[in-house]
């Protein structure tokens, strides 16, 4: 990771999803280990005013617990809202140092993320997920092959739970991210 941000890159991430009730999401964020985790607010379909209110609520919690908070979408919006970084395919930089996380699902997206110089990659789905029932998943072998192409830390996402932690390093993951695995 390039030193573009003052906070250390966490190895544990809570991903938000509109399927999860706000109270459940905030409770999950409050359980994250102090100073050692991050939150990525996606909620792309949520109206801007409501999304901003949720961001502000999570930002307050993140400040108190020394968590990294990234906003899904554009770097400029993340900077304007005071996020620690942005998560998405936008490769334009903001006016201040910020972390950049990119989603990766296949070899083409891995090459794009490497070219973009993202600080961390969220490779998914490792396992079947509730958020994409019946969807195709990578499995350990394909995950490891893709992770081996990365030039940045790779976070395992998709059906990952606490009990998978021990096996993740062996397949090239620097950490993990979850929706249901951290909010159940």
């Amino acid at each position: 990771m390039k030193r573009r941000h003052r906070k250390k890159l966490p190895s544990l991430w809570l991903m938000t999803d509109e399927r999860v009730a706000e109270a459940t999401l905030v409770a999950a964020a409050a359980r994250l280990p102090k100073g050692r985790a991050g939150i990525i607010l996606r909620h792309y379909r949520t109206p801007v005013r409501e999304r901003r209110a949720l961001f502000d609520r999570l930002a307050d919690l993140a400040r108190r617990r020394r968590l990294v908070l990234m906003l899904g979408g554009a770097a400029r919006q993340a900077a304007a809202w005071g996020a620690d970084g942005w998560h998405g395919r936008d490769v334009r930089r903001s006016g201040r140092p910020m972390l950049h996380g990119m989603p990766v699902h296949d070899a083409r997206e891995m090459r794009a993320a490497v070219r973009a110089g993202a600080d961390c990659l969220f490779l998914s789905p490792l396992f079947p997920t509730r958020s994409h029932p019946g969807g195709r998943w990578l499995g350990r072998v394909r995950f490891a092959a893709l992770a081996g192409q990365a030039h940045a830390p790779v976070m395992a996402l998709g059906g990952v739970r606490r009990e998978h932690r021990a096996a993740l390093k062996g397949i090239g993951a620097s950490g993990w991210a979850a929706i249901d695995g951290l909010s159940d």
Side-chain angles (χ1 to χ4, degrees):
M1 177 179 83
K2 297 177 185 78
R3 298 285 298 164
R4 289 196 289 243
H5 193 268
R6 63 178 163 50
K7 290 187 179 179
K8 183 181 176 198
L9 183 68
S11 60
L12 176 63
W13 293 86
L14 173 65
M15 305 290 280
T16 73
D17 190 287
E18 280 101 346
R19 294 179 303 108
V20 179
E22 186 173 321
T24 302
L25 175 65
V26 172
R31 288 191 304 270
L32 292 170
K34 199 173 201 177
R36 298 188 345 245
I39 304 165
I40 297 180
L41 176 65
R42 296 181 308 169
H43 277 66
Y44 301 112
R45 294 181 306 273
T46 302
V48 175
R49 185 173 294 182
E50 292 171 33
R51 187 176 193 231
R52 179 61 196 252
L54 178 56
F55 176 86
D56 289 342
R57 189 171 179 194
L58 290 172
D60 181 56
L61 189 143
R63 272 189 295 280
R64 285 184 283 120
R65 298 191 50 76
R66 297 187 324 272
L67 304 172
V68 173
L69 177 59
M70 294 174 65
L71 181 65
R76 286 186 183 166
Q77 183 179 35
W81 285 16
D84 297 313
W86 79 102
H87 175 74
R89 291 186 173 81
D90 180 10
V91 296
R92 296 167 296 170
R93 298 284 170 194
S94 68
R96 66 178 176 85
M98 294 175 59
L99 290 171
H100 179 203
M102 285 185 80
V104 174
H105 303 92
D106 56 35
R108 181 186 56 78
E109 290 180 358
M110 179 62 75
R111 288 188 299 273
V114 168
R115 276 192 311 273
D119 296 304
C120 61
L121 311 176
F122 292 82
L123 181 54
S124 73
L126 175 53
F127 301 120
T129 69
R130 279 192 258 175
S131 59
H132 298 89
R136 191 164 180 223
W137 46 285
L138 296 168
R140 294 170 196 244
V141 173
R142 282 189 299 197
F143 183 97
L146 286 169
Q149 298 173 29
H151 299 303
V154 174
M155 304 300 152
L157 174 63
V160 182
R161 299 193 168 284
R162 292 185 191 282
E163 57 266 22
H164 297 125
R165 287 183 304 191
L168 294 177
K169 285 225 186 275
I171 60 172
S174 300
W176 62 288
I179 300 167
D180 297 324
L182 289 169
S183 59
D184 282 347

